[in-house]
Amino acid sequence: MKPVRKAIFPVAGLGTRFLPATKTIPKEMLPIVDKPLIEYAVDEARAAGIEEFIFVTSRGKSAIEDHFDSNPELELTLQGRGKEAELAAVNATQLEPGQITAVRQMAPLGLGHAVWCARNLIGDEPFAVLLADDLIMSDRPTLVEMVEAYEEHGGSVVSLMEVPREQTSRYGVVDPGVINGHLVEIRGLVEKPDPAAAPSNLAIVGRYILQPEVMTYLGRGETGAGNEIQLTDSMLELVGQSPFHGLILNGRRFDCGSKVGFLEAGIGFGLRRADIRDDLRISITELLSNSGD
Ligand code: UTP
């Protein structure tokens, strides 16, 4: 069984729900407390042993690559001023030379198309996909647990969470087979099903470990829900060819692609930070008591 060494980070979306903030700043660079969304995803991938980081970008997104590059001027200034904690935070963003690659998605044709844009860099290896706007708060990084499941069962693994049935039309939803604790055998997948037609209320979170064959299916360029090239539709073709499992999320997922989810994440992660927790609690209580309704 080949190890999972490569990860794709699709960051080419338009981020229309955050306009005008995302007119010039990529959505993935919006910060939760003091780290941009993309850094949380890259840190999770590093923890899971990923060695090659592939960003699928688009015009105007170069800030993402710059974020993981060195910034000698800033580093020297911080050093000169004795700002050691800040310098350590800046240095922590750097990966080894050659570990990051960026490919362009010329038009936002869908998540499946974005993943397919990285096909030449993936070759014949299994790979992970992480959506930075699905931010997960958990004791152990989600991708670490998924890689463990992959090492035990092989094939493909996706992250799952339970959603209220009336919300299934917002997600990719799985048709579950045998459920063993957190591990779910997957028999089928549907993108954005109506609640009445949904095979379950187990929705896919933005973390995937996939077999390279999925690139062949994506290459057909077939559109699905929302007239986009959906990743879920091509993943369905993997079901039955090799093991396919879901791992129910051991933590809380914030949908940072939505305004409320993004604000929730800021509060949730802020309340976990010893340096701001107490002040933040006081502010939240004050704001709630003065909100007027
Ligand atoms: P979203 O569905 O959140 O789309 O994409 P979006 O464009 O980022 O945001 P809205 O809906 O307009 O506000 C989920 C993930 O897939 C990537 C996005 O960058 C995001 O990380 N994506 C989506 C692409 O890279 N390319 C696409 O064509 C579509």
Side-chain angles (χ1 to χ4, degrees), residues 72 147 269-270:
V147 166
F269 276 78

Side-chain angles (χ1 to χ4, degrees), residues 10-18 27-28 56 61 105 107-111 113-114 131-133 228 257:
V11 291
L14 293 176
T16 54
R17 284 170 287 174
F18 280 94
K27 174 174 73 174
E28 297 77 12
V56 181
K61 298 255 183 177
Q105 184 190 26
L109 303 179
L111 175 61
H113 182 261
L131 304 189
D133 44 9
E228 294 194 343

Side-chain angles (χ1 to χ4, degrees), residues 90-270:
V90 166
N91 286 339
T93 62
Q94 278 184 46
L95 296 165
E96 296 290 319
Q99 278 195 303
I100 288 191
T101 327
V103 290
R104 287 281 179 111
Q105 184 190 26
M106 277 85 153
L109 303 179
L111 175 61
H113 182 261
V115 168
W116 178 74
C117 288
R119 66 198 178 283
N120 291 337
L121 296 166
I122 293 300
D124 60 357
E125 292 189 33
F127 60 97
V129 179
L130 295 95
L131 304 189
D133 44 9
D134 270 347
L135 181 58
I136 299 166
M137 183 187 268
S138 56
D139 293 333
R140 293 189 74 217
T142 298
L143 195 65
V144 171
E145 296 192 341
M146 290 171 66
V147 166
E148 286 169 2
Y150 167 78
E151 283 166 354
E152 199 175 333
H153 303 281
S156 301
V157 183
V158 293
S159 177
L160 298 176
M161 66 174 182
E162 286 185 48
V163 297
R165 196 162 257 277
E166 60 274 18
Q167 291 179 9
T168 54
S169 58
R170 298 188 202 165
Y171 301 95
V173 174
V174 303
D175 179 8
V178 178
I179 302 182
N180 185 359
H182 282 174
L183 194 75
V184 179
E185 186 196 345
I186 292 181
R187 294 191 307 204
L189 307 143
V190 199
E191 186 61 34
K192 300 187 171 51
D194 283 335
S200 74
N201 68 337
L202 288 171
I204 303 173
V205 180
R207 300 288 183 279
Y208 313 77
I209 291 174
L210 299 173
Q211 291 299 315
E213 288 75 23
V214 77
M215 294 295 190
T216 309
Y217 307 125
L218 288 169
R220 294 180 195 152
E222 286 165 12
T223 53
N227 210 23
E228 294 194 343
I229 300 173
Q230 297 287 354
L231 181 57
T232 309
D233 297 342
S234 288
M235 289 191 322
L236 178 60
E237 308 250 8
L238 294 176
V239 176
Q241 285 190 14
S242 50
F244 205 129
H245 291 92
L247 198 60
I248 298 175
L249 191 66
N250 194 2
R252 186 186 165 126
R253 170 256 191 188
F254 296 97
D255 175 12
C256 292
S258 78
K259 293 180 181 77
V260 172
F262 179 78
L263 293 170
E264 278 173 348
I267 297 168
F269 276 78

